Amino acid sequence: MSDIRYRHWISSMGRKSAASVHQLKTLPPTSEAFVKNVKRAHFQACLLRSALTGEAPDMDPLENGWVSDDDFGVLMPVTLPPQTKIAPAAVMKLIQCGCSSETACSTERCGRVAGQMSCSAFCRCRAEIRTCRNRWTLLKQRIEDANDSDEDESNDEDDSDD
């Protein structure tokens, strides 16, 4: 499914002008996302069917496409398994948000924010920390900064061992 998804997107993008904005929502789901989607739909169908009988289905929602959000006491859908890429890196670099406001990438109207992705050099904000308001870009930057400081500390420890 992922291969078909990629080929479909490439062929549809070939018909658009180079200036048009590539949007993530134009891609069909990945194989992994499709499986999670089917599991969630199956679980929901079982719940609806059980409403007629009064007996809850003998199914664990956490094994059927849902994760527990303990802070709010609700179940949240799992759209992709952890560590699964949304799209190939080459495609991700082409997707831009097209935000036009002064506070670019600050709301769910931004395609990158809505897709829970950090901005790229193709976005209006150019993924620059001083202009980008995308929480995912800021989080990615914090993680990269923390990793850089961890590497610096481990290098300092290696130097002191000599």
Side-chain angles (χ1 to χ4, degrees), residues 11-78:
S11 69
S12 68
M13 296 312 343
R15 293 187 295 267
K16 293 188 175 200
S17 70
S20 67
V21 176
H22 305 298
Q23 295 183 358
L24 185 63
K25 65 184 175 185
T26 63
L27 285 169
T30 62
S31 299
E32 297 86 354
F34 179 74
V35 168
K36 289 289 184 185
N37 206 2
V38 168
K39 284 184 175 185
R40 280 195 316 275
H42 176 69
F43 180 74
Q44 289 175 322
C46 290
L47 280 178
L48 292 173
R49 180 174 287 165
S50 72
L52 299 173
T53 64
E55 293 182 28
D58 188 25
M59 298 174 72
D60 183 1
L62 302 180
E63 294 177 8
N64 289 283
W66 297 88
V67 66
S68 177
D69 182 343
D70 296 331
D71 293 337
F72 295 102
V74 297
L75 291 174
M76 300 291 293
V78 176

Side-chain angles (χ1 to χ4, degrees), residues 30-150:
T30 62
S31 299
E32 297 86 354
F34 179 74
V35 168
K36 289 289 184 185
N37 206 2
V38 168
K39 284 184 175 185
R40 280 195 316 275
H42 176 69
F43 180 74
Q44 289 175 322
C46 290
L47 280 178
L48 292 173
R49 180 174 287 165
S50 72
L52 299 173
T53 64
E55 293 182 28
D58 188 25
M59 298 174 72
D60 183 1
L62 302 180
E63 294 177 8
N64 289 283
W66 297 88
V67 66
S68 177
D69 182 343
D70 296 331
D71 293 337
F72 295 102
V74 297
L75 291 174
M76 300 291 293
V78 176
T79 54
L80 280 176
Q83 308 304 321
T84 303
K85 296 199 181 278
I86 297 171
V91 171
M92 294 303 291
K93 288 180 182 178
L94 295 174
I95 298 171
Q96 55 185 332
C97 66
C99 289
S100 59
S101 70
E102 276 301 309
T103 54
C105 313
S106 60
T107 68
E108 294 288 322
R109 292 178 61 197
C110 171
R112 304 282 298 194
V113 172
Q116 299 181 351
M117 299 181 293
S118 60
C119 288
S120 72
F122 292 100
C123 295
R124 181 173 184 260
C125 66
R126 302 284 183 244
E128 294 175 0
I129 296 302
R130 62 184 169 74
T131 57
C132 182
R133 300 289 177 255
N134 180 340
R135 64 182 169 267
W136 304 105
T137 302
L138 301 174
L139 177 62
K140 179 182 174 190
Q141 186 61 46
R142 278 190 230 128
I143 291 169
E144 288 173 356
D145 290 346
N147 289 341
D148 289 345
S149 74
D150 289 346

Side-chain angles (χ1 to χ4, degrees), residues 1-11 27-28 87-88 90-91:
M1 178 172 281
S2 293
D3 184 51
I4 293 169
R5 166 184 187 250
Y6 181 72
R7 284 188 280 142
H8 167 74
W9 189 77
I10 291 296
S11 69
L27 285 169
V91 171

